[in-house]
Amino acid sequence: MASEQLEKIFKNNEEWIAQQLDKDPSYFKTLGEGQEPNILYIGCSDSRVTAEEVMGLHPGEVFVHRNIANMVISTDLSAQSVITFAVKHLKVKEIVVCGHTCCGGVKAAMQPQDLGLLNPWLRNIRDVYRLHKEELNAITDEDAKYNRLVELNVQEQCVNVIKTAEVQKASAERGLRVHGWVFDVKSGKLIDLKIDFDSVLAKIKEIYTFTS
């Protein structure tokens, strides 16, 4: 027997269907005809950060991939498949990597703990710390250090997106753009980090460039 919470979900679903049809009788017919999102959103699995709701968008307007701490890892076939499909087949125009404050994954990576199966995943965040160790160690306030690591992790995952061949090709051919954002859980605000990718990529571009 389903729990009360699950039963409520199905009731909520029926109410949602009725609301959508009341506003637009052809709503689900239109959804069934396909999707043409302009945005690929790569975010965290945290239950407090829901992509469409945070951005005020609707089903069909954004293609979404989520995992712990919004990581883009070259060996993660799930993330790489999503990027390839979104760029090559859906022809998205923007890719957003969105981290958030109070991120449990980033915080866990800052702690000297053995977390079992999570260790290999969190190691990628620790690698971000290693790359920016001098800057982070200079920050004495732990909360400020934590928030800065959230930002730097977004930056490095954006770089990982840009390293992919499909993204480079689409950027050169049709102006695909990559953005780094942070969602402030305590205020509800989306913050554009306005990352200067020309500066960030200056020393590594020749190593990872696939297109001439």
Side-chain angles (χ1 to χ4, degrees):
M1 178 178 288
S3 67
E4 283 187 21
Q5 185 176 26
L6 294 184
E7 288 178 356
K8 188 174 187 298
I9 287 173
F10 283 97
K11 183 179 179 182
N12 291 344
N13 175 248
E14 292 297 329
E15 292 174 356
W16 175 73
I17 292 171
Q19 290 168 2
Q20 300 308 314
L21 292 176
D22 185 55
K23 289 184 288 186
D24 179 6
S26 63
Y27 180 81
F28 294 105
K29 181 178 181 295
T30 301
L31 280 186
E33 291 172 353
Q35 59 172 332
E36 294 182 343
N38 287 324
I39 302 169
L40 165 60
Y41 173 99
I42 301 172
C44 183
S45 298
D46 193 297
S47 61
R48 298 166 294 178
V49 189
T50 54
E52 292 89 348
E53 192 167 5
V54 164
M55 295 187 287
L57 298 179
H58 302 286
E61 293 185 312
V62 57
F63 197 60
V64 178
H65 178 74
R66 297 170 67 184
N67 59 41
I68 294 174
N70 42 273
M71 304 299 291
V72 180
I73 302 168
S74 62
T75 55
D76 178 9
L77 294 181
S78 178
Q80 295 300 322
S81 297
V82 166
I83 292 170
T84 298
F85 183 75
V87 174
K88 190 172 182 178
H89 300 282
L90 295 178
K91 306 291 185 184
V92 297
K93 298 175 182 177
E94 319 280 351
I95 298 178
V96 172
V97 178
C98 187
H100 66 95
T101 59
C102 307
C103 180
V106 172
K107 191 164 189 177
M110 292 179 68
Q111 311 302 319
Q113 292 178 286
D114 180 359
L115 296 172
L117 189 61
L118 286 173
N119 289 336
W121 191 264
L122 297 178
R123 187 181 304 134
N124 294 283
I125 306 174
R126 292 185 174 119
D127 286 342
V128 174
Y129 196 116
R130 173 177 55 80
L131 289 171
H132 300 276
K133 180 180 177 181
E134 186 174 343
E135 176 187 348
L136 290 166
N137 284 352
I139 302 173
T140 55
D141 181 83
E142 284 301 308
D143 288 338
K145 181 185 292 186
Y146 170 35
N147 288 334
R148 182 56 180 152
L149 181 55
V150 166
E151 295 176 348
L152 290 170
N153 184 51
V154 168
Q155 176 178 299
E156 291 302 327
Q157 303 320 310
C158 285
V159 169
N160 288 341
V161 169
I162 294 169
K163 287 176 183 176
T164 63
E166 289 297 341
V167 169
Q168 290 181 29
K169 183 178 179 182
S171 296
E173 293 180 353
R174 55 184 182 83
L176 173 68
R177 298 185 298 177
V178 178
H179 310 269
W181 297 353
V182 169
F183 174 67
D184 185 344
V185 172
K186 293 182 178 179
S187 71
K189 290 184 178 180
L190 274 176
I191 301 163
D192 185 349
L193 297 180
K194 298 180 180 179
I195 301 167
D196 181 357
F197 289 114
D198 288 337
S199 175
V200 171
L201 297 168
K203 293 182 180 179
I204 64 171
K205 193 172 182 179
E206 62 181 295
I207 302 171
Y208 296 103
T209 298
F210 288 99
T211 56
S212 56

